[in-house]
Every structure is written in structure tokens, then in C-alpha cells.
Amino acid sequence: GSLTVGASGFAGVLSLANANTYVGGTTVSFGTLALREIRNPSTNALITSGSLASTGALAIAAGAAFDISQVA
């Protein structure tokens, strides 16, 4: 299995905010793949954080992006 972001020129953002269980490679063809944190709005305590398994390759095409700025 694998995850491909940005098929057919789609240039939006796919945000992952939990651990993801697929295995295989990740390809970002267009747009942005973003990892995010979810925090409790009252306490700002971390609830969960997006992640990718380290079992597959990560390919980012020219003009695409992989955004980890929202994950501590």
C-alpha cells in the first residue's frame, strides 16, 4: 500500500493529525502533505499528533511540499 497526494494536478492540502497505519511509500505530487497536532482548546494539552511510519520512502515532487511546521 501507499499514499499519493495530489493526483491530477490537485493543489490542496492533506493534513494528517493522527498516527497513520498504512505501510509503503508516500508520494506528494502536487499541493502539500501536512502533519498536524490536535490540542485541547481549554488546556492546550497535546491530544494527538500526525505521523508517518518510517517503513516506506517519501517522495516530494518539484513544486509540492511536506509541512511539519505544526508538529513539535
Side-chain angles (χ1 to χ4, degrees):
S2 65
L3 173 66
T4 300
V5 178
S8 301
F10 172 74
V13 176
L14 172 63
S15 294
L16 303 177
N18 277 313
N20 293 277
T21 59
Y22 73 90
V23 293
T26 300
T27 301
V28 185
S29 300
F30 299 94
T32 302
L33 173 61
L35 300 184
R36 301 281 188 244
E37 293 180 342
I38 297 175
R39 293 189 171 269
N40 181 311
S42 299
T43 65
N44 201 35
L46 180 64
I47 296 171
T48 188
S49 184
S51 64
L52 293 176
S54 61
T55 57
L58 174 62
I60 303 169
F66 180 49
D67 178 6
I68 58 170
S69 66
Q70 299 291 316
V71 178

